[in-house]
């Protein structure tokens, strides 16, 4: 999928940024992954099959957060296009460019390394199946439309309305491991969080609580928001983990 003439998004990776390594064991257990060798401050969550699309990173000066890496065919071209669409550059290291979206959400542009196979969902002993399959961009309402337009133009993913006016979906490219959802929030700043798809929310939430998560809020029949062991919020949703 292309956004304009310069950028082709070939893969996406969700980063779980934390002030220490203390929460890494939690996410390994949640996803059923193993941990790669560490490269500097980050390591990869290696799935049981398919190509990796989740990483953990230690950012000692930052509170727990989530950010997105777009793996592109041309980092320089993609950076130029992102700035033209309203992003601002935070750090430029040539083959890694850190930016903020128009609303202020942090994301990175990195080279594509040949990833093509989306991992399958994991079936747990309780019988339920789950998978981290979405990054939600949380955006103040006054800049919501501009932010949705930015992500759609940059990725080339079509906008799709939701049943709820507080959400808008972007239809991901074929084979991509993560969907994008943009959500209106009441806070003054933008951020991101990950969502899991699951065929039994109650059982999956019970599993996460047993691993150390705490429940923040429940929306019966829809999703449950939890806080991980580092203090980062994320959601377990009732969406099918097997739908492309």
């Amino acid at each position: 999928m292309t956004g304009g003439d310069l950028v082709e998004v070939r893969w996406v990776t969700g980063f779980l940024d934390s002030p220490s390594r203390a929460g890494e064991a939690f996410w390994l257990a949640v996803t059923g992954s193993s941990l790669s060798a560490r490269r500097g401050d980050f390591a990869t969550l290696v799935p049981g099959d398919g190509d990796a699309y989740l990483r953990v990173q230690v950012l000692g000066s930052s509170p727990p957060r989530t950010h997105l890496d777009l793996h592109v065919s041309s980092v320089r071209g993609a950076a130029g296009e992102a700035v033209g669409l309203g992003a601002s550059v935070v750090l430029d290291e040539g083959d890694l460019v850190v930016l903020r979206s128009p609303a202020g959400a942090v994301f990175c542009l990195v080279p594509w390394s040949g990833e093509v196979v989306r991992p399958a969902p994991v079936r747990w002993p309780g019988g339920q199946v789950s998978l981290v399959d979405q990054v939600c961009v949380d955006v103040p309402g006054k800049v919501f439309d501009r932010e949705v337009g930015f992500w759609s133009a940059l990725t080339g993913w079509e906008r799709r309305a939701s049943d709820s006016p507080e959400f808008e979906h972007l239809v991901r490219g074929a084979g991509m491991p993560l969907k994008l959802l943009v959500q209106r929030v009441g806070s003054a700043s933008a951020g991101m969080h990950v969502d899991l798809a699951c065929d039994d929310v109650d059982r999956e939430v019970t599993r996460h609580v047993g691993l150390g998560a705490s429940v923040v809020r429940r929306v019966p029949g829809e999703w449950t928001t939890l806080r991980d062991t580092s203090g980062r919020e994320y959601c377990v949703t009732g969406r099918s983990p097997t739908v492309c």
Side-chain angles (χ1 to χ4, degrees), residues 115-136:
E115 300 93 341
V116 293
V117 180
R118 183 169 64 217
V122 178
R123 182 170 297 278
W124 301 101
Q128 78 276 19
V129 175
S130 70
L131 180 73
V132 175
D133 78 330
Q134 184 166 269
V135 168
C136 182

Side-chain angles (χ1 to χ4, degrees), residues 49-74:
D49 68 350
D51 290 319
Y53 69 103
L54 295 171
R55 287 182 173 143
V56 289
Q57 180 171 225
V58 175
L59 293 176
S61 61
S62 174
R65 69 177 188 185
T66 300
H67 83 263
L68 187 69
D69 274 13
L70 302 180
H71 301 243
V72 295
S73 49
S74 168

Side-chain angles (χ1 to χ4, degrees), residues 100 103-105 137-143 183 185-192:
R100 289 189 183 275
V137 186
D138 303 313
V139 182
K142 64 181 180 180
V143 294
Q183 177 180 213
V185 295
S187 63
S189 59
M192 297 183 181

Side-chain angles (χ1 to χ4, degrees), residues 137-142 144-145 165-168 182-186:
V137 186
D138 303 313
V139 182
K142 64 181 180 180
F144 179 82
D145 288 334
E166 66 185 299
F167 299 110
E168 189 160 345
V182 185
Q183 177 180 213
R184 300 176 193 265
V185 295

Side-chain angles (χ1 to χ4, degrees), residues 12-227:
V12 287
T13 295
F15 260 84
L16 303 168
D17 303 324
S18 304
S20 74
R21 300 180 187 178
E24 291 179 359
F26 173 83
W27 283 101
L28 289 171
V30 161
T31 59
S33 304
S34 59
L35 194 66
S36 74
R38 194 171 299 276
R39 293 180 58 192
D41 293 330
F42 74 86
T44 300
L45 301 186
V46 181
D49 68 350
D51 290 319
Y53 69 103
L54 295 171
R55 287 182 173 143
V56 289
Q57 180 171 225
V58 175
L59 293 176
S61 61
S62 174
R65 69 177 188 185
T66 300
H67 83 263
L68 187 69
D69 274 13
L70 302 180
H71 301 243
V72 295
S73 49
S74 168
V75 171
R76 300 259 49 89
E81 183 166 352
V83 170
L85 292 169
S88 57
V89 174
V90 176
L91 177 68
D92 186 342
E93 294 188 345
D95 61 351
L96 165 67
V97 180
V98 183
L99 304 102
R100 289 189 183 275
S101 71
V106 174
F107 69 101
C108 298
L109 298 171
V110 298
W112 178 55
S113 298
E115 300 93 341
V116 293
V117 180
R118 183 169 64 217
V122 178
R123 182 170 297 278
W124 301 101
Q128 78 276 19
V129 175
S130 70
L131 180 73
V132 175
D133 78 330
Q134 184 166 269
V135 168
C136 182
V137 186
D138 303 313
V139 182
K142 64 181 180 180
V143 294
F144 179 82
D145 288 334
R146 184 185 181 194
E147 188 76 356
V148 177
F150 168 81
W151 287 105
S152 178
L154 184 62
T155 61
W157 298 359
E158 295 181 5
R159 298 172 64 163
R160 187 182 72 205
S162 169
D163 294 337
S164 172
E166 66 185 299
F167 299 110
E168 189 160 345
H169 301 272
L170 296 182
V171 181
R172 63 181 169 183
M176 293 291 170
L178 291 171
K179 304 176 184 181
L180 275 181
L181 177 69
V182 185
Q183 177 180 213
R184 300 176 193 265
V185 295
S187 63
S189 59
M192 297 183 181
H193 70 265
V194 296
D195 292 338
L196 288 88
C198 181
D199 60 2
D200 190 323
V201 171
D202 289 342
R203 284 187 177 181
E204 184 70 356
V205 167
T206 297
R207 184 175 76 88
H208 289 217
V209 171
L211 293 170
S214 57
V215 173
V216 177
R217 68 185 68 87
R218 297 180 187 267
V219 180
E222 297 287 345
W223 70 84
T224 296
T225 301
L226 299 105
R227 186 173 289 114

